[in-house]
Every structure is written in structure tokens, then in C-alpha cells.
Amino acid sequence: GLKFGAARKATLLATLAPLADTPTAPLRLRLSERPRFAASSTVGFKALGGYVEHILAHNEAVDAGADEALMLNERGRLASAASANIFLIAGEKVATPNESEGALPGVVRGALLEEAGALGIEIEARAIEPRELRGAALFATNSLIGLRRASLAGEDEASAPAGERIFKILQSWYQSRLARELAKEEKRP
């Protein structure tokens, strides 16, 4: 049943595997037909049953020759990638979906939103229509890949000079921050 009694104990299943080298080639993204329901009470959690849709979307994208799936929300606007948050650079402007649109409150995304202003880069969290992806420089973020360039499958990677400059600034900042955090951890007893 759905109601657990006091006598039931939780079971935890975990698997470990060595972390593969992070590829540097841009992620090839494919729009998924599977929606990410931004209004769901479990939208902010990766490990609940709702994440199954992400796994299916990712697998379908890979089967179609892409590396990752882009998921739209129930309103047809960009929510996230199946396993990452997504950002777009159009001109000098950087945007990422709001959490209310289905973006995950990721660690890397949060750090960028908090710190990019100090680098002279404004990142706007807002609703993003799929048509805005065309011709924009894209990148994905999560704790395993950091910041990684991306492009829509079947399209050339947008290489506008401003987009490349902004991406390099953000990527360099994140790599420096990560190195500082890891150095702190190594000093702990």
C-alpha cells in the first residue's frame, strides 16, 4: 500500500562507479517530447519517481544520436536538460529558466546566478521559449560536467564572439572556484 506503518524500515540502494573523464566537445541536445511538469510537488527532487521521465528522455535522445535531452515544461517553455540545467547566451545577455519553469535548483546554476554579476555578467532567470534556442550560444551545467558548451542536434554550435567570450569567463571562474573549494577540502584533517 501507499501508507507505511511504523514497523517498516527504509531500504537504501546505492551503486558506485569510477567517474569517466568529462568530454569537452559540445553536448548535442535534442528536444524531448516528454514534458517536465514544473507544477509537480516533486519537481525539485532528482531521486523520486518523477525523475524516471528524465531518464527516459535522456535515453531517447541518445538513441536518436544526441548526447542529452532538452525538456520543455507543461506550458511548452524550456525547463531543463534531462540531467543538467541549461543556459543561453544571446548577444551580451545570458538567460536560464526560472525554477518556476522547472529548472532544478542546482549547485552550479546557483553559484552562477549568485556570482556572475561580480564578473560583469548578468544572468536572468526567466521563461524561455524554444524558438530562442536557435542561433543562441548554449551551455549546460551540473556538478559532474561543470559548464559545458551545447548545441541543438543537427545545428552548428553558435559561435558568436560575445557568446564565446562570456562562456569562457564563466567557465574560467567556475574552474577557479572549484579548485579553491577542493584545496580547502584537502587541508581538512
Side-chain angles (χ1 to χ4, degrees):
L2 295 176
K3 187 171 182 169
F4 295 103
R8 295 207 179 169
K9 296 192 182 208
T11 301
L12 173 66
L13 173 65
T15 61
L16 298 173
L19 183 62
D21 290 335
T22 302
T24 57
L27 279 172
R28 291 166 299 149
L29 304 170
R30 177 182 180 271
L31 278 174
S32 176
E33 307 247 337
R34 295 181 180 275
R36 177 164 166 79
F37 291 99
S40 169
S41 59
T42 62
V43 74
F45 301 101
K46 293 184 196 176
L48 296 177
Y51 206 64
V52 169
E53 290 296 318
H54 290 241
I55 294 166
L56 294 171
H58 174 81
N59 290 344
E60 290 166 359
V62 169
D63 289 347
D67 300 309
E68 177 62 297
L70 277 178
M71 298 181 76
L72 304 179
N73 62 27
E74 66 273 22
R75 296 177 295 275
R77 295 189 295 253
L78 186 64
S80 68
S83 63
N85 278 301
I86 198 79
F87 291 75
L88 64 90
I89 306 169
E92 294 284 332
K93 298 184 181 211
V94 182
T96 189
N98 281 319
E99 287 180 32
S100 64
E101 294 289 324
L104 281 169
V107 172
V108 180
R109 179 183 182 275
L112 287 172
L113 288 170
E114 283 179 24
E115 310 269 345
L119 302 170
I121 299 169
E122 290 299 318
I123 299 177
E124 182 182 13
R126 64 174 175 80
I128 298 174
E129 298 293 334
R131 70 179 179 279
E132 295 180 68
L133 299 171
R134 307 247 183 258
L138 306 174
F139 66 95
T141 65
N142 72 28
S143 294
L144 293 176
I145 64 172
L147 281 71
R148 187 167 168 197
R149 286 180 186 86
S151 62
L152 293 176
E155 291 189 7
D156 291 333
E157 179 187 3
S159 59
E164 183 65 19
R165 182 183 62 77
I166 290 169
F167 177 79
K168 283 183 177 177
I169 291 169
L170 293 173
Q171 185 180 49
S172 176
W173 168 82
Y174 179 73
Q175 289 170 340
S176 295
R177 178 184 168 147
L178 187 59
R180 286 191 309 273
E181 293 293 324
L182 292 173
K184 280 188 217 174
E185 288 299 316
E186 287 176 0
K187 291 180 183 176
R188 286 188 183 197

